Amino acid sequence: MTTLTAVWAIAWANLVRLFRDRSNLFFVVIFPIVLIAVFGLSFGSGFQPPLGVADADGGPQAARLVRALEQAGHRVVRVGSAEEARDGVERGRLAGALVIPAGYERALRGYVPLTLPYLGRNEPDALQLGAAVRAAVTRVTMPARAAAYARDGSFDELVARAEAAPAPGVTVAASTVGTATALAGMTGYDVAATSQLLLFMFLTSMNGATALIESRQLGVSRRMYATPVTSRGILLGEAAGRVGVALLQGLIIMAGSALLFGVRWGDPAGAVALLLAFALVGGGAGMLLGAAARTGQQATALGLLLALGLAAIGGAMVPLDFFSATLRRLAHLTPHAWALDGFAELLRRDGTLADVLPQLGVLAAYAAAFFALGAWRLRKALTAGP
């Protein structure tokens, strides 16, 4: 038996063992698709971008303006100051923010022109929200505009003068702050599919560590060592089996979500490269856990903790755009955050394979480290005495 044949046989045996248990079909294939549907509907329908309002005036006219925005169906979030509003927009917590400065009431009553600052990112939700805010401000302040001229003359003359007069017209000056979020240009299904893809690929890889432990405990690995197959062939076969499982699950999730929900994955070459790189990361981590853990129970508990913990820290449960700067730096200690950055590059900015090379390089480094440690630990476990 050649080394290549042995590698293929060991990898194929791992795939057969996974799908021989029918319950694995539910968790590997059906459950991720169901969660994509649930989260896609949650993010993709009925979502109202949050509008921050910083009311530094506090007068009746300012309250009337805020009430009009709420009655128009906007999701108004009251913030304490203009600085807090700017910070919320820059960090992505707010789609846009309207600042009502101190002296707003006095300016209206004194027929003095006034400008209300509106802050928003350069993305569709913020631009649409800005247009809606301008319309609401115009509507609310129209009586004050007309009152400035309703003092003498005929009705027609007053209307004509009111339509042409700028004072005390209130205008909104929109400015762009921060950079566009990775969520911009992505549907709820796109966001859900990329995060669930990474979460379940890594979770399945970690759960697969128990199969490697069973092989050790049942003596299967030792019997393979007794055959003419080289130790390198055995290690490559175990590694290929772990990667094959992760890759197959990833392909099923990508194809299923694209067919069922119209999920976009961006440039095909870039998407496949990211999928393969993350499969290598998951396979390497699963092999390391399977070689290091002593029992199946230990591997299951630790694998579940690591899979869910790294997914939460890495942005596979809550989008990275909602993280603070410190948490974002912490998130990029995980491979999940780098993979999410890669998919965001493909989807948000129509990136290609060349644009995700930095993310692929980091994922390749993670995979190499995991496989090197896993192979070293597995070889040590197999060659150790009984």
Side-chain angles (χ1 to χ4, degrees):
M1 178 181 287
T2 64
T3 301
L4 185 61
T5 304
V7 169
W8 169 250
I10 297 171
W12 179 251
N14 278 287
L15 283 172
V16 171
R17 288 177 65 185
L18 174 70
F19 290 107
R20 182 172 291 169
D21 185 349
R22 299 296 176 86
S23 64
N24 285 336
L25 286 174
F26 175 77
F27 290 103
V28 173
V29 179
I30 300 175
F31 195 44
I33 296 295
V34 171
L35 285 185
I36 290 172
V38 171
F39 289 128
L41 286 173
S42 301
F43 291 134
S45 62
F47 175 74
Q48 287 288 338
L51 169 66
V53 174
D55 181 6
D57 184 80
Q61 290 298 326
R64 183 166 173 260
L65 174 56
V66 176
R67 191 164 54 251
L69 291 170
E70 292 174 333
Q71 291 174 346
H74 297 297
R75 182 182 161 199
V76 173
V77 178
R78 297 172 190 268
V79 295
S81 65
E83 290 74 20
E84 188 178 342
R86 173 180 287 273
D87 184 69
V89 173
E90 289 180 341
R91 294 183 182 280
R93 293 193 298 269
L94 301 172
L98 178 68
V99 178
I100 304 176
Y104 174 75
E105 181 87 16
R106 185 172 61 254
L108 286 182
R109 294 185 182 279
Y111 309 128
V112 177
L114 181 69
T115 296
L116 301 184
Y118 171 78
L119 307 174
R121 290 173 178 271
N122 186 20
E123 55 191 34
D125 282 348
L127 297 177
Q128 292 173 9
L129 193 57
V133 168
R134 281 191 288 273
V137 170
T138 300
R139 185 176 63 257
V140 171
T141 59
M142 184 59 74
R145 180 193 294 264
Y149 299 94
R151 302 177 186 179
D152 59 331
S154 67
F155 174 76
D156 291 340
E157 183 183 2
L158 289 174
V159 169
R161 289 170 58 188
E163 290 177 343
V170 177
T171 58
V172 177
S175 56
T176 301
V177 296
T179 57
T181 67
L183 298 181
M186 298 173 68
T187 68
Y189 289 111
D190 293 340
V191 176
T194 50
S195 59
Q196 297 307 306
L197 172 75
L198 303 181
L199 169 62
F200 278 94
M201 282 179 66
F202 202 81
L203 181 60
T204 301
S205 297
M206 299 303 275
N207 285 337
T210 55
L212 188 56
I213 294 174
E214 288 176 359
S215 296
R216 287 164 41 202
Q217 292 178 335
L218 296 174
V220 175
S221 300
R222 289 186 181 280
R223 287 198 292 274
M224 284 193 293
Y225 244 104
T227 67
V229 180
T230 63
S231 60
R232 187 178 66 175
I234 296 173
L235 295 175
L236 286 175
E238 293 292 353
R242 310 270 89 73
V243 174
V245 169
L247 193 58
L248 179 61
Q249 184 185 30
L251 287 172
I252 292 173
I253 293 175
M254 290 179 81
S257 60
L259 291 173
L260 294 174
F261 312 120
V263 170
R264 301 171 302 117
W265 292 98
D267 177 64
V272 170
L274 285 172
L275 176 68
L276 178 59
F278 199 77
L280 288 168
V281 172
M287 185 172 172
L288 176 58
L289 179 62
R294 295 182 177 179
T295 65
Q297 292 84 355
Q298 189 182 61
T300 299
L302 190 57
L304 191 62
L305 179 65
L306 288 173
L308 297 182
L310 291 176
I313 297 171
M317 292 185 178
V318 176
L320 289 171
D321 298 85
F322 297 151
F323 285 20
S324 66
T326 302
L327 279 180
R328 283 180 66 85
R329 285 194 291 273
L330 179 64
H332 283 83
L333 295 177
T334 71
H336 300 65
W338 290 96
L340 285 171
D341 281 352
F343 281 115
E345 183 69 32
L346 297 180
L347 294 174
R348 175 69 180 85
R349 290 174 281 275
D350 296 326
T352 63
L353 176 62
D355 296 316
V356 296
L357 286 178
Q359 290 84 3
L360 290 173
V362 174
L363 293 175
Y366 272 109
F370 287 148
F371 274 119
L373 290 173
W376 166 75
R377 189 67 185 83
L378 183 59
R379 184 194 297 271
K380 186 176 179 181
L382 294 178
T383 55

